[in-house]
Amino acid sequence: MTDTATDTAARTSTPTVLDAQGVTKQFGGLTAVSDITFEVPERSIVSIIGPNGAGKTTFFNMLTGFYRPTFGRIVFEGRNVTGGRPDVIMKLGLARTFQNIRLFSTMTAAENAMVGQNARMKAGLFGSIFRTPGVRHEEERVRVKAHEELDYVGLARDQHDQLAINLAYGDQRRVEIARALASDPRVLLLDEPTAGMNPQESGELTDFMRRLRDERGITIVLIEHDMKVVMGVSERITVLDHGEKIAEGPPAEVRANPRVVEAYLGKQAKEEG
């Protein structure tokens, strides 16, 4: 069986957890993303690659509610989330990190991780004002979970109470991932998570993504420029160029695709050469 046939069979037998059909985003007269169809099988690790300006982050922003698609439909676990609010989509189980780290710099690592649980907290105005036993219990649960997630991503305990601004870049990335995990996602979208990392840190993150999928059953969608990471961790890769999908399939097939080599891999090789 060919790689393409194997990939198709695997997708047919595995439920689709995230499904974008004909998604387009226009800003005035500019089409940033054009008619993208993208299906993510449950418990998979898939990557979106492409040169700068290809529309990758814009597409992520539509999946997570930060942008409303001009056309098209996005379905998450059978529910239409097209144009839904980011907090609502996160509460449904779709969490993300950002290309540029977005932590609260004057809050500690633990406090940042606690923010990830905000959408799932039940305390109302009355309980928050009068500090009812239920509210105190929930706050303690949130604190405990924040520390557990920071432990899980590999942040040393003595750094949990440090201000985010004082953490090393790689540790800030860990905190951002911990914050996303604190929301109990079914699908985690990572936007260039290895940016600024050295090869050792990138390798550790690659292993961590596999562990997330295997231990927690989390589906991972990844935007990444590091081809070693992409080819090493992805089961399927989607390639964008100038807002259009130009290729999709397993890593070996995508690596050999002439349009991909020209549009992305070849350009990167020239830049590095």
Side-chain angles (χ1 to χ4, degrees):
M1 184 179 290
T2 65
D3 284 343
T4 302
T6 301
D7 183 55
T8 301
R11 278 188 284 162
T12 301
S13 61
T14 305
T16 297
V17 66
L18 182 62
D19 184 11
Q21 295 292 323
V23 172
T24 295
K25 181 61 181 177
Q26 296 174 339
F27 297 98
L30 172 67
T31 299
V33 171
S34 179
D35 194 27
I36 300 295
T37 291
F38 178 71
E39 299 177 3
V40 181
E42 190 175 36
R43 293 178 64 96
S44 64
I45 301 177
V46 302
S47 291
I48 301 174
I49 67 171
N52 291 331
K56 304 182 298 295
T57 296
T58 298
F59 185 60
F60 253 33
N61 285 339
M62 288 188 286
L63 294 177
T64 52
F66 287 87
Y67 290 161
R68 184 180 184 88
T70 307
F71 306 108
R73 176 182 171 91
I74 299 168
V75 175
F76 175 58
E77 292 194 319
R79 184 186 303 234
N80 184 4
V81 297
T82 311
R85 294 203 327 253
D87 61 313
V88 173
I89 292 174
M90 184 181 72
K91 190 172 182 179
L92 292 174
L94 187 62
R96 69 170 295 179
T97 65
F98 294 86
Q99 181 176 353
N100 299 313
I101 296 174
R102 297 187 183 182
L103 296 176
F104 296 100
S105 60
T106 57
M107 292 170 57
T108 67
E111 289 168 342
N112 271 280
M114 289 169 68
V115 170
Q117 302 174 69
N118 182 66
R120 298 192 182 280
M121 294 180 70
K122 300 175 182 178
L125 179 61
F126 177 85
S128 298
I129 292 174
F130 292 98
R131 307 283 299 150
T132 63
V135 168
R136 292 196 298 270
H137 176 75
E138 184 175 54
E139 288 178 349
E140 178 60 22
R141 177 188 60 77
V142 166
R143 275 192 291 271
V144 170
K145 183 173 177 59
H147 286 289
E148 288 175 347
E149 296 298 357
L150 291 171
D151 287 338
Y152 190 75
V153 300
L155 188 71
R157 270 278 171 168
D158 62 1
Q159 294 182 310
H160 288 199
D161 294 322
Q162 287 194 27
L163 297 182
I165 196 172
N166 294 331
L167 296 174
Y169 187 87
D171 288 333
Q172 290 184 18
R173 280 285 180 198
R174 289 184 176 90
V175 174
E176 190 177 41
I177 294 172
R179 181 175 63 187
L181 292 177
S183 69
D184 294 325
R186 297 264 293 127
V187 176
L188 179 61
L189 283 69
L190 302 173
D191 194 347
E192 298 194 25
T194 69
M197 289 187 174
N198 61 42
Q200 179 180 341
E201 290 172 328
S202 296
E204 290 172 352
L205 183 59
T206 298
D207 293 339
F208 178 72
M209 284 188 280
R210 293 195 188 97
R211 188 156 65 94
L212 269 181
R213 189 268 313 276
D214 296 341
E215 294 180 357
R216 297 195 177 187
I218 295 176
T219 303
I220 296 173
V221 183
L222 175 73
I223 290 177
E224 183 55 64
H225 279 296
D226 187 329
M227 286 299 102
K228 184 176 181 181
V229 172
V230 170
M231 295 298 172
V233 77
S234 308
E235 293 152 11
R236 191 161 57 92
I237 300 171
T238 297
V239 188
L240 304 185
D241 188 33
H242 293 98
E244 299 181 350
K245 183 168 75 173
I246 63 170
E248 188 172 67
E253 178 183 314
V254 168
R255 183 190 288 116
N257 187 302
R259 291 191 67 187
V260 176
V261 173
E262 173 60 27
Y264 183 64
L265 298 177
K267 291 180 181 178
Q268 186 183 57
K270 292 177 183 177
E271 291 172 359
E272 294 175 351

